[in-house]
Amino acid sequence: DTEVTQTPKHLVMGMTNKKSLKCEQHMGHRAMYWYKQKAKKPPELMFVYSYEKLSINESVPSRFSPECPNSSLLNLHLHALQPEDSALYLCASSPESSYQPQHFGDGTRLSIL
Amino acid sequence: GQQLNQSPQSMFIQEGEDVSMNCTSSSIFNTWLWYKQDPGEGPVLLIALYKAGELTSNGRLTAQFGITRKDSFLNISASIPSDVGIYFCAGHQGGTSYGKLTFGQGTILTVHP
């Protein structure tokens, strides 16, 4: 079992819907990450939070809005998504946003109708 | 963005055979990581390498951090059916890329019983 928990596991939404993805870790990690992954491709970094502050935004469209309410939680708010946004969205955490390994959750499979 | 050159892209082997895959880069990395991803799950950390020349084992898995800091390999000995999955190498460069992992394209491993 992964120590990074993501909900929901699956999400189907229309292009006009608003939904949120949630990620939780209780390992005391101070860095958390959002990735987007297409089938059989490597994860692509979207956002990095370090000590609850956004430290990296990889030029992600504004229809994706991250939020870090506290050191254990990470949200990704979705609005007006496009069909090409359908993918596996992975959350990861690491002790700090440095060279320490990142540990991934099992992801949310997102389908945009 | 920058990617690591991971090879082979796919491997079809018989149970019991040994497997070798590698990643190379034109840039120096400070950390090399190897992950395995099963269908419907997130990447799982297999081995982390922190020093040039370092050789680390995890059960039947052995990985090495290249002496030039530009490459790494992963060996799997006596493969079993549950070794099936996608293996990703990843690296940290440090410096201004603090918190960012660069991934290889992945090696898809199929093991025939």
Side-chain angles (χ1 to χ4, degrees):
Chain A
D1 288 338
T2 180
E3 295 180 88
V4 177
T5 304
Q6 290 187 243
T7 56
K9 288 193 176 301
H10 302 275
L11 179 61
V12 179
M13 58 187 288
M15 288 190 284
T16 59
N17 291 156
K18 286 185 180 180
K19 295 286 185 183
S20 297
L21 309 184
K22 297 185 183 302
C23 175
E24 189 169 2
Q25 59 88 14
H26 294 290
M27 295 180 282
H29 289 177
R30 302 314 302 266
M32 297 185 76
Y33 311 78
W34 280 115
Y35 288 86
K36 174 184 178 181
Q37 187 180 30
K38 292 284 196 180
K40 297 186 179 180
K41 297 293 185 182
E44 299 173 29
L45 183 65
M46 300 174 71
F47 303 103
V48 179
Y49 273 84
S50 177
Y51 290 86
E52 299 162 47
K53 293 191 186 304
L54 184 64
S55 61
I56 296 176
N57 176 343
E58 289 287 274
S59 302
V60 179
S62 60
R63 58 186 184 267
F64 295 91
S65 175
E67 177 195 19
C68 188
N70 60 58
S71 59
S72 300
L73 293 174
L74 187 66
N75 298 322
L76 186 63
H77 303 298
L78 315 173
H79 175 53
L81 295 194
Q82 303 298 308
E84 61 265 28
D85 296 324
S86 297
L88 181 68
Y89 287 84
L90 293 164
C91 174
S93 70
S94 66
E96 292 181 349
S97 58
S98 60
Y99 58 85
Q100 290 152 316
Q102 295 174 24
H103 298 267
F104 288 83
D106 283 337
T108 294
R109 175 73 59 190
L110 178 64
S111 298
I112 307 301
L113 301 179
Chain B
Q2 181 183 4
Q3 287 182 340
L4 299 173
N5 299 312
Q6 185 172 348
S7 64
Q9 290 185 340
S10 61
M11 300 183 74
F12 298 84
I13 62 170
Q14 291 293 129
E15 183 177 359
E17 290 183 0
D18 296 342
V19 172
S20 184
M21 59 191 78
N22 68 82
C23 272
T24 61
S25 172
S26 57
S27 303
I28 288 173
F29 283 80
N30 293 326
T31 305
W32 285 91
L33 308 170
W34 285 93
Y35 290 90
K36 181 192 178 202
Q37 188 171 21
D38 291 331
E41 298 182 7
V44 174
L45 181 68
L46 299 175
I47 292 180
L49 302 160
Y50 300 103
K51 291 182 182 179
E54 180 180 357
L55 183 71
T56 297
S57 293
N58 178 6
R60 295 179 294 105
L61 278 61
T62 302
Q64 185 159 30
F65 192 141
I67 197 72
T68 64
R69 297 168 63 194
K70 294 182 179 181
D71 63 331
S72 177
F73 72 74
L74 175 70
N75 287 341
I76 306 172
S77 63
S79 59
I80 59 178
S82 62
D83 290 333
V84 166
I86 304 179
Y87 291 79
F88 291 104
C89 63
H92 268 294
Q93 289 187 284
T96 56
S97 66
Y98 198 68
K100 294 178 67 169
L101 280 179
T102 301
F103 281 87
Q105 285 298 299
T107 296
I108 301 172
L109 179 63
T110 303
V111 180
H112 295 288

